[in-house]
Amino acid sequence: TVVVGLAFGAGWTPCIGPILGSILAYSSTQADVGQGVALLSAYSLGLGIPFFLAAVAVERFLGVFSRLKRHMGTINKVAGSLLIVVGVLMVTGYLTYLSNSLQAYTPEALFNWL
């Protein structure tokens, strides 16, 4: 479980820094200390709750993962194929077109349409 924790922390590190830096920069420019405390508390909860849930569920995850191990070749091929498709969509510019087309089906767009 130590290795899982290390991998989890290493994966989140690039995401944590910019968000925490933004919250600290925003909080330092505000006159209200309470707002900064609220933002940092929400950040801490948002960061801590997934780690807590991961710690609680790691044994179950490892059990499920051990059953999926025999399918990892297929899973890797499917995931790799999806990455290639997304890469081609990005290079051709079609991903932007697809994204813009799908925005018409967001809840906000559907609500405004009604």
Side-chain angles (χ1 to χ4, degrees):
T1 58
V2 172
V3 175
V4 174
L6 287 171
F8 205 66
W12 274 31
T13 299
C15 302
I16 290 172
I19 300 298
L20 180 58
S22 299
I23 291 172
L24 290 172
Y26 179 78
S27 298
S28 68
T29 62
Q30 300 301 311
D32 185 19
V33 174
Q35 187 176 11
V37 169
L39 285 172
L40 288 170
S41 296
Y43 173 79
S44 298
L45 284 173
L47 181 63
I49 289 173
F51 276 108
F52 177 75
L53 293 175
V56 170
V58 72
E59 300 238 353
R60 183 174 176 166
F61 167 76
L62 292 175
V64 170
F65 185 72
S66 68
R67 289 192 299 264
L68 285 176
K69 238 188 245 189
R70 62 187 164 136
H71 302 292
M72 285 308 284
T74 304
I75 291 170
N76 283 335
K77 288 175 186 171
V78 169
S81 299
L82 287 173
L83 284 172
I84 290 170
V85 168
V86 171
V88 169
L89 289 173
M90 289 174 69
V91 168
T92 60
Y94 194 71
L95 186 64
T96 303
Y97 171 76
L98 188 61
S99 175
N100 290 336
S101 298
L102 291 175
Q103 283 182 350
Y105 301 104
T106 62
E108 182 180 351
L110 292 174
F111 181 73
N112 291 334
W113 183 70
L114 295 175

